[in-house]
């Protein structure tokens, strides 16, 4: 889950990391409550990157100019991401900008510091980047080593080392995938300040982070409404632009099925991994999600039951077909309790395909013959 | 066969939970040498006739178990893993999905420090057909034979194993390493074991988009593996930036694409199968012509 800058900074501040004073506004008039004087920085709160280049950061010399800018900025959409609010901060006198982040490195299998003496840049395109593996258990010398390697000296070195240690503590205690400060500013008065921040919270950890309880729905802004609903019901849905709705159990098998549809000349309308062990209720919810996509002409259901019981899937299918008798379905169902499932489905007249390749070819062929019609309504 | 056989003594952590109990039964039915279950507070009870202990330490002391299969909920997995390691377990099979990756990183570091091995998390487990099934794989689709399999995926492994079995090619051992970005055993370690395993003639490696483990494994194969390796990558048509079910299956910043992995396979002498069905055909050819392609 990605957080907005203002949320990230509140978390940094609570972790003892210095941030500029700030006010968040959602209406231009609210600028009147700013207590730190002008000139000001106004920053769009959006999930997308490249905010500065897209005109999402402006400077105001007085209240009048601020209000006019705020009015425009609040309506700005950056790379499809709507401005949620504005973060208003005083302008800072900058002596030097650094980059500092903590993330998990999947290749090394451990957390790492990523740091650069060139801040305010796109870290992916910078050549001057340090990566430092973080050992368990953590000790503060790791932060000192990092600050020293960045070429810092004296009081600034000690301040950056302390900040790095605090950043790791935040990363660990809040279960983050990323804690990034860019730029980390050294002011003309030799203070260190997190001028911009980004936090990604690990989705699997939210259940043990009471502070983030209930945040998920408001932060899934880069997903379609169906993808959002899937996420909230623990299904993995990715919408694609074809007309074959794919529903499988397990990520690898779902990807493989999607690839095969494409390889045999069809167009996947979505990727839906219902996960292992889905029961009748969850399978039905998954079928409904695929069915609701108006572009889908054929549903291809491919279940290889390991921990998923075929009879649970069959139960969902029987219920679904009663509700949507017109829906084109190609079903491949194998594994655990397959015989029970076959008996349950025998009356429905639904043909089962034991072979995956045959099922995919049938779905592709039906998708080409499908006549375009409006989304199928449920039978009354 | 590698890692497990019929003598491997297995303790089940979380044996009395819904999933743990169901799979304890299935593993016992398969013939796995399950010697103990562990659930704190239920010591002295039995589950499917297997004695339950309060701690792994007691279970190991009493039964001599060397392998633990872990079914505990995600936020308890790190503690369960540490407990198994401290009790002297040398092979941890962590089935649980949804473990915070920072916990996995901590556990993996501890496993390494102890010289033990971790399979998973978020994995189906491991099977040496006819001998031992440790995890949640459906035993009936596997058959003993010459193909060693290593895979990030569960159900896709079953799909390919089923095709292999139906074509008459059984498996020496199948290892599901799991779909998380941070994990225990990686391809290299398993490939190396298969290379030295007399029962394995051909190796099947099933990968997916995300990360660069497949690229690194391909380079490793060129240097260290003489047996034929067949590679398959799921997610060839996945859009960038979207997490495809597994936490680790994502193309980000142009990295982790199927093309890059398939290129690496081809450049390093790995035989590429483009569909799951093609894997069995490639295995048949490799067994006829074991020299590297």
């Amino acid at each position: 889950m990605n957080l907005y800058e203002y949320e990230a900074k509140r978390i940094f501040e609570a972790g003892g990391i210095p941030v500029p004073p700030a006010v968040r506004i959602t209406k231009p008039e609210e600028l009147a409550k700013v207590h730190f004087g002008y000139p000001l920085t106004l920053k769009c709160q959006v999930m997308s990157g490249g905010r500065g280049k897209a005109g999402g950061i402006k400077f105001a010399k007085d209240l009048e100019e601020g209000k006019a800018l705020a009015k425009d900025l609040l309506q700005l959409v950056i790379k499809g991401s709507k401005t949620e609010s504005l973060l208003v901060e005083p302008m800072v006198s900058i002596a030097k900008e650094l980059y500092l982040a903590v993330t998990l490195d999947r290749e090394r299998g451990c957390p790492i510091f990523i740091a650069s003496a060139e801040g305010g840049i796109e870290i992916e395109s910078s050549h001057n980047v340090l990566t430092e593996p973080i050992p368990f258990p953590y000790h503060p010398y790791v932060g000192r080593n990092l600050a020293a390697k960045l070429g810092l000296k004296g009081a600034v070195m000690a301040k950056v080392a302390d900040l790095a240690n605090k950043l790791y503590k935040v990363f660990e205690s809040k279960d983050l995938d990323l804690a990034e400060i860019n730029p980390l500013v050294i002011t003309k008065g030799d203070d260190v300040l997190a001028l911009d921040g980004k936090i990604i919270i690990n989705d699997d950890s939210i259940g043990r982070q009471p502070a983030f309880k209930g945040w998920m729905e408001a932060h899934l802004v880069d997903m379609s409404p169906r993808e959002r609903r899937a996420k909230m019901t623990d299904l993995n849905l990715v919408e694609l632009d074809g007309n074959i709705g794919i529903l499988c159990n397990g990520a690898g098998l779902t990807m493989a099925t999607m690839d095969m549809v494409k390889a045999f000349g069809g167009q996947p309308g979505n990727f839906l991994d219902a996960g292992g062990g889905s029961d009748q209720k969850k399978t039905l919810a998954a079928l409904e999600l695929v069915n609701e996509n108006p572009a889908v002409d054929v549903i291809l259901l491919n279940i290889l039951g390991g921990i998923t019981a075929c009879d649970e899937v069959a139960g969902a299918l029987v219920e679904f077909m009663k509700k949507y008798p017109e829906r084109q379905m190609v079903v491949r169902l194998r594994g655990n309790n397959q015989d029970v499932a076959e008996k349950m489905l025998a009356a429905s007249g639904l043909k089962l395909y034991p072979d995956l390749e045959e099922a995919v070819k049938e779905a592709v062929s039906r998708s080409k013959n499908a006549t375009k019609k409006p989304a199928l309504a449920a039978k009354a | 066969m590698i890692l497990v056989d019929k003598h491997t003594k297995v303790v089940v952590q979380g044996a009395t939970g819904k999933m743990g109990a169901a799979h304890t039964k299935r593993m016992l039915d398969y013939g796995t040498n399950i010697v103990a279950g562990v659930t704190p507070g239920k010591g002295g009870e039995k589950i499917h006739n297997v004695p339950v202990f309060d701690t792994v330490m007691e279970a190991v002391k009493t039964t001599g178990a060397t392998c633990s299969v872990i079914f505990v909920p995600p936020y308890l997995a790190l503690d369960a893993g540490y407990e198994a390691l401290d009790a002297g377990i040398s092979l941890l099979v962590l089935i649980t999905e949804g473990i915070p990756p920072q916990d996995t990183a901590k556990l993996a570091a501890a496993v390494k420090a102890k010289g033990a091995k971790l399979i998973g998390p978020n994995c189906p487990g491991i099977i040496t057909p006819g001998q031992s099934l440790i995890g949640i794989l459906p035993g009936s689709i596997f058959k003993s034979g010459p193909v060693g399999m290593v895979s990030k995926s569960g159900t896709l492994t079953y799909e390919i194993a089923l095709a292999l079995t139906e074509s008459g090619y059984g498996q020496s051992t199948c290892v599901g390493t799991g779909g998380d970005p941070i994990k225990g055993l990686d391809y290299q370690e398993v490939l190396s074991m298969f290379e030295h395993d007399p029962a394995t003639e051909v190796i099947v490696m099933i990968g997916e988009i995300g990360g660069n483990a497949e690229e690194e494994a391909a380079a490793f194969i060129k240097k260290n593996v003489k047996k034929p390796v067949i590679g398959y990558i799921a997610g060839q048509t996945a859009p960038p930036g979207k997490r495809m079910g597994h936490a680790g299956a994502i193309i980000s910043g142009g990295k982790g694409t199927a093309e890059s992995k398939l290129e690496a396979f081809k450049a390093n002498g790995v035989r590429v199968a483009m569909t799951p069905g093609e894997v069995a055909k490639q295995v048949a050819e490799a067994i006829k012509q074991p020299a590297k392609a």
Side-chain angles (χ1 to χ4, degrees), chain B residues 30-43:
Chain B
Y30 193 78
T32 307
N33 191 12
I34 307 272
V35 294
V38 170
T39 300
K42 298 210 170 169

Side-chain angles (χ1 to χ4, degrees), chain A residues 1-3 199-203 206 212 215-217 219:
Chain A
M1 177 172 78
N2 292 303
L3 299 190
I199 278 181
I200 303 176
I201 298 167
N202 181 258
D203 287 353
I206 290 174
F212 305 132
W215 282 36
M216 186 65 101
E217 201 153 17
H219 286 79

Side-chain angles (χ1 to χ4, degrees), chain A residues 97-258:
Chain A
E97 292 187 327
L98 309 173
Y99 174 97
L100 183 64
V102 184
T103 189
L104 271 170
D105 181 7
R106 65 189 284 174
E107 270 72 50
R108 292 187 181 94
C110 68
I112 51 167
F113 275 118
I114 306 175
S116 176
E118 301 163 6
I121 41 116
E122 299 219 351
I123 197 71
E124 293 86 359
S125 54
S126 174
H127 296 292
N128 204 356
V129 178
L130 268 176
T131 57
E132 284 287 303
I134 296 173
F136 298 122
Y138 189 86
H139 294 287
Y141 77 85
V142 180
R144 295 197 296 275
N145 279 352
L146 185 77
K149 283 189 186 176
L150 283 170
L152 303 171
K153 302 275 180 221
V156 169
M157 179 270 170
K159 282 180 184 172
V160 170
D162 180 56
L163 191 149
N165 291 333
K166 285 173 172 157
L167 190 65
Y168 177 74
K169 282 277 171 276
V170 169
F171 173 82
E172 187 187 33
S173 65
K174 300 289 182 209
D175 276 314
L176 307 183
D177 282 340
L178 175 71
E180 180 187 71
I181 302 174
N182 186 25
L184 168 61
V185 158
I186 298 166
T187 66
K188 289 189 175 146
D190 273 358
D191 281 323
V192 295
L193 206 55
L195 197 57
D196 194 358
K198 186 174 174 184
I199 278 181
I200 303 176
I201 298 167
N202 181 258
D203 287 353
D204 285 328
S205 306
I206 290 174
R208 70 176 182 188
Q209 291 290 347
F212 305 132
K213 198 170 174 253
W215 282 36
M216 186 65 101
E217 201 153 17
H219 286 79
L220 299 177
V221 292
D222 55 349
M223 287 182 168
S224 77
R226 273 190 300 272
E227 285 177 338
R228 207 171 305 152
R229 226 176 76 215
K231 181 103 184 166
M232 299 310 288
T233 45
D234 203 21
L235 295 161
N236 303 297
L237 174 70
V238 176
E239 301 221 84
L240 305 163
D241 41 23
N243 65 342
I244 301 177
I246 297 170
L247 201 179
C248 305
N249 61 331
L253 187 61
T254 315
M255 279 191 273
T257 306
M258 174 184 79

Side-chain angles (χ1 to χ4, degrees), chain A residues 305-326:
Chain A
I307 49 174
T308 307
C310 291
D311 52 331
E312 291 278 344
V313 177
L317 270 172
V318 168
E319 216 175 309
F320 178 81
M321 287 186 300
K322 240 183 246 163
K323 218 167 152 189
Y324 307 98
E326 304 287 305

Side-chain angles (χ1 to χ4, degrees), chain A residues 104-111 136 168 171-177 202-209 222-224 227 236-240 249-260 262-264 268 271 273 275-276 302 304-307 332 334 336 354-357, chain B residues 19 23 26 74-75 97-109 136-138 141 152-160 162 166 180-182 208-213 216 232-239 242-250 274-278 281:
Chain A
L104 271 170
D105 181 7
R106 65 189 284 174
E107 270 72 50
R108 292 187 181 94
C110 68
F136 298 122
Y168 177 74
F171 173 82
E172 187 187 33
S173 65
K174 300 289 182 209
D175 276 314
L176 307 183
D177 282 340
N202 181 258
D203 287 353
D204 285 328
S205 306
I206 290 174
R208 70 176 182 188
Q209 291 290 347
D222 55 349
M223 287 182 168
S224 77
E227 285 177 338
N236 303 297
L237 174 70
V238 176
E239 301 221 84
L240 305 163
N249 61 331
L253 187 61
T254 315
M255 279 191 273
T257 306
M258 174 184 79
D259 293 345
M260 284 172 78
K262 209 90 191 232
F264 291 125
F271 163 104
D273 164 21
N302 175 24
L304 188 53
I307 49 174
R332 191 259 189 154
R334 284 196 75 160
N336 209 2
D355 183 69
L356 174 57
E357 208 161 301
Chain B
M19 193 172 165
H23 287 286
R26 292 176 71 183
Y75 300 155
E97 180 179 358
I99 298 174
Q102 292 197 41
D103 284 5
T104 308
K106 285 174 184 161
L107 181 60
I136 59 174
L137 309 102
I141 62 174
K152 280 181 178 174
S153 159
T155 47
L156 179 57
T157 307
Y158 314 158
E159 180 73 50
I160 291 172
L162 181 68
E166 285 180 344
D180 278 4
I182 309 283
E208 65 188 26
I209 54 162
N212 70 349
E216 287 185 356
Y232 171 78
I233 299 291
Q236 295 161 31
T237 61
K242 295 279 187 181
R243 219 164 272 281
M244 307 303 281
H246 280 156
I250 181 165
M274 292 305 285
T275 63
E278 244 184 71
K281 286 174 203 156

